[in-house]
DNA sequence: CTGAAAGCGCTTACAG
DNA sequence: CTGAAAGCGCTTACAG
């Protein structure tokens, strides 16, 4: 079924059929009769426009490349894909997916493959918030947005990241407002220097936390920096804390997996959450809703970020055709999921 | 940079340049000199073949569509995407991703979009193993594979699913071999009728379990059927079990989330795993490795399944060009991850 | 208001 | 051994 078939069936030229079917018929004052005949022919023949030929002819493929390190397979940030996919569908774009595993060489190859397929725009997504390496020059010719990573030094494309620092502040403020003064940091701290080097999120969360605590005149009671943030680390930190003989009033965990480990250590010691110890955290992984009690945590707005990435791209494409996007960094608010792990402490 | 540019630079026609660059030069005995000149021109000009024009000309796009209900965003089966992406890269294919949310109308639309973009083959993936609904007729013209779902009644495309029944058998046998005779089923059972209607996995796991237990003359001590399998259900079941005053010897949980809930109830009651109660499960979610003790569970081989789907498609495409795949159902073995939650019971 | 022609960038018979 | 021509299925000036 080609356009020629439809045109023939409707008894018009393929130019006319093309005009009608692409919606430019009215504008060019094609008669209603012809209009209807073409529409009907297309309908009865079950015609569908061949996107490939359109792509070749127009130089635009209605296609966006989504290159990530391990977003799909790591099962932690699927929301970004969901948001991107939804927004793409809304705007009539298709998404090419690709995973690099994180290596710059693989990233380069993945991007080349995307370019070979003539994507109209490109999303470069990261599992964890980090600073992105230098980008290939070819990328200066089409709109690119960094999703969950920061532009390389010396400028770069637009970027979308969670507002980690604000969330850090908010987490500390949440505990302070609940009356806690004995606040332990699990994952980083106690000073600004004790942040995992590779983690932008860690650095910013810590900065926000320390700002709020300092302003309140309540320095952290302790800090347990770790390079990676898994339950075993959370368990270890809290186990150590308890061995020193003190029951912490409040634990500020740098992510939900650490909080899970903290739960385990607390519960093994017979302590109750939140009556004995309050816990607050970041990420809002599915886990957070499964814990007992459910975990109060600041969500990474993955889905909103994914949506935003596609919308920015589509906006740029519709604006003046495939021009590079400015180098703004968009920081998206991390919403608080208030659940059951923070207790209000009655003033002593 | 087009082929014409390369040809011009090398001083040959674009036919010749095409032949050389597509690797058919040797075969057609093009002179080494010309060969080298074309290669060099392509190199220095940074020529990359325009996949879109090739697609139009050949009618083949080197593209596979991956339509799922919620595989990427549910964050439970990311391995399927990973496997598919890896295999596609290996074979020089690109993957279009799309998520339908599960509705048949949305699925239909997603498939049409894929067809409009002239994918060479199609993967229809499900989050949970289920029977797939009827497929549109258009799909009879290109290779399709169902990933993690079974063909509709009356035949259909090839399908890849985990071998749930064998895993059910193996799980029961594992507990029996460890000397357990007091085995409680959490999630389905105690009889074959007590399976969640919508879950193919539940039905088959249960069938396998009951086969093995019946053969051993050890009927399940109890069964707790649930329609959905979340930690809260696991907790509830085990809480109920304990309220009846008995400490179960072994819990056979229908997935890791249920097992997590069982852990919570057991630990809140001061029971030790696996000393007091053994626990075994299915899925091998990331959670399984985070629990204390780590959870013994049968993994869903998501990644292998994803790889297999692409390889089958590519095989069919390379064989005799885009013919439909036979209706075999491939059942992939679910490997046991033997960890710390099952104890050997000394004979009383 | 509608049609004929050119062209997007390739590949593939077909000549020579 | 190499080149000229046609054609994949569209869209877009350009005529009329």
């Amino acid at each position: 079924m080609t356009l020629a078939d439809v045109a023939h069936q409707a008894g018009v030229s393929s130019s006319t059929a093309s005009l009608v079917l692409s919606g430019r018929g009215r504008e060019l004052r094609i008669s209603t009769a012809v209009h209807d005949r073409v529409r009907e022919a297309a309908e009865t023949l079950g015609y569908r426009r061949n996107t490939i030929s359109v792509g070749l002819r127009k130089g635009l493929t209605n296609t966006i490349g989504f290159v990530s390190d391990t977003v799909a397979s790591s099962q932690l940030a699927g929301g970004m894909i969901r948001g991107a996919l939804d927004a793409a569908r809304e705007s009539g774009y298709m998404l090419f997916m690709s995973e690099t595993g994180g290596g710059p060489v693989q990233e380069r190859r993945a991007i080349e493959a995307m370019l070979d397929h003539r994507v109209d725009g490109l999303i470069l997504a990261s599992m964890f918030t980090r600073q992105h390496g230098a980008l290939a020059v070819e990328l200066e010719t089409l709109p690119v947005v960094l999703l969950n990573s920061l532009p390389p030094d010396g400028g770069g494309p637009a970027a979308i990241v969670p507002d980690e620092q604000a969330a850090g502040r908010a987490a500390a403020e949440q505990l302070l407002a609940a009356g806690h003064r004995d606040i332990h940091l699990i994952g980083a701290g106690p000073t600004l220097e004790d942040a995992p080097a590779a983690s932008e999120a860690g650095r910013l969360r810590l900065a926000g936390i320390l700002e709020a605590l300092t302003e309140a005149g309540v320095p952290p009671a302790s800090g347990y920096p770790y390079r990676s943030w898994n339950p075993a680390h959370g368990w270890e930190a809290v186990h150590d804390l308890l061995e020193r003989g003190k029951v912490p009033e409040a634990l500020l965990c740098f992510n939900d997996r650490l909080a899970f480990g903290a739960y385990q250590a607390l519960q093994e010691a017979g302590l109750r959450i939140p009556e004995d110890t309050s816990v607050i955290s970041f990420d809002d992984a599915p886990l957070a809703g499964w814990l007992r009690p459910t975990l109060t945590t600041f969500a990474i707005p993955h889905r909103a970020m994914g949506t935003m990435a596609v919308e920015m791209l589509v906006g740029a494409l519709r604006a003046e055709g495939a021009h590079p996007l400015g180098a703004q960094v968009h920081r998206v608010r991390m919403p608080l999921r208030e659940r059951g792990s923070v207790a209000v402490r009655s003033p002593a």
Side-chain angles (χ1 to χ4, degrees), chain A:
Chain A
M1 276 308 94
T2 71
L3 181 63
D5 296 321
V6 173
H8 181 253
Q9 164 98 353
V12 298
S13 74
S14 46
S15 322
T16 305
S18 171
L19 259 18
V20 171
L21 293 177
S22 63
R24 296 184 52 207
R26 277 277 93 90
E27 169 194 341
L28 295 180
R29 283 176 300 175
I30 286 182
S31 72
T32 320
V34 166
H35 229 103
D36 293 349
R37 265 188 294 147
V38 171
R39 283 254 141 80
E40 201 188 307
E43 178 88 12
T44 64
L45 294 180
Y47 170 74
R48 310 218 98 225
R49 190 209 246 91
N50 183 334
T51 316
I52 297 299
S53 355
V54 176
L56 178 57
R57 175 61 228 233
K58 293 208 199 183
L60 248 24
T61 55
N62 275 281
T63 264
I64 289 172
F66 188 104
V67 176
S68 83
D69 40 15
T70 56
V71 171
S73 54
S74 72
Q75 318 196 170
L76 289 173
M80 293 200 302
I81 298 182
R82 172 75 179 282
L85 251 18
D86 285 353
R89 181 169 9 81
E90 292 296 309
S91 330
Y93 280 80
M94 294 284 280
L95 233 54
F96 275 123
M97 284 266 321
S98 180
E99 280 202 349
T100 66
V105 180
Q106 291 88 324
E107 182 182 81
R108 161 124 217 149
R109 277 205 206 104
I111 291 175
E112 275 173 358
M114 294 289 180
L115 259 20
D116 288 352
H117 283 266
R118 297 301 188 265
V119 294
D120 294 335
L122 207 46
I123 295 173
L124 266 22
S126 301
M127 182 60 257
F128 301 111
T129 311
R130 60 180 174 102
Q131 187 176 33
H132 206 284
L135 295 176
V137 265
E138 298 96 302
L139 294 188
E140 281 163 19
T141 62
L142 87 173
V144 175
V145 6
L146 299 179
L147 183 52
N148 207 18
S149 69
L150 267 353
D153 295 327
I160 300 170
V161 293
D163 195 344
E164 305 280 5
Q165 188 157 356
R169 288 194 67 100
E173 284 164 3
Q174 203 69 23
L175 293 179
L176 290 168
H180 298 292
R181 295 295 175 269
D182 178 49
I183 300 175
H184 301 260
L185 272 30
I186 312 294
T191 78
L192 210 44
E193 280 67 46
D194 306 308
S199 167
E200 195 62 21
R203 215 176 50 68
L204 291 170
R205 285 174 191 178
L206 182 60
I209 291 165
L210 293 182
E211 267 174 33
L213 293 182
T214 304
E215 282 172 22
V218 181
S222 77
Y224 286 83
Y226 288 103
R227 197 152 322 161
S228 67
W229 292 340
N230 284 314
H233 299 118
W235 184 89
E236 184 185 302
V238 175
H239 186 75
D240 177 85
L241 215 44
L242 295 174
E243 270 199 338
R244 297 171 180 236
K246 38 176 167 181
V247 174
E249 263 182 41
L251 262 23
L252 206 170
C253 298
F254 275 73
N255 79 359
D256 292 348
R257 295 198 302 282
L258 286 166
F260 180 33
Y263 266 54
Q264 292 169 332
L266 254 13
Q267 288 169 342
E268 285 172 21
L271 262 15
R272 291 159 310 156
I273 307 166
E275 292 81 358
D276 297 314
T277 300
S278 287
V279 181
I280 196 165
S281 170
F282 303 90
D283 280 6
D284 193 29
L287 181 66
W290 297 342
L291 292 173
R292 290 177 57 85
T294 50
L295 178 62
T296 295
T297 184
F298 285 84
I300 303 183
H302 281 129
R303 188 153 164 197
M305 290 165 63
T307 303
M308 190 171 176
V310 167
E311 284 175 353
M312 282 174 58
L313 238 32
V314 171
L317 288 167
R318 298 226 164 115
E320 32 188 318
H323 75 111
L325 239 27
Q328 331 91 303
V329 173
H330 298 266
R331 299 192 185 269
V332 186
R333 211 176 76 81
M334 295 175 65
L336 173 63
R337 306 276 186 247
E338 205 159 357
R339 290 196 275 243
S341 62
V342 175
V344 173
R345 187 172 193 83
S346 46

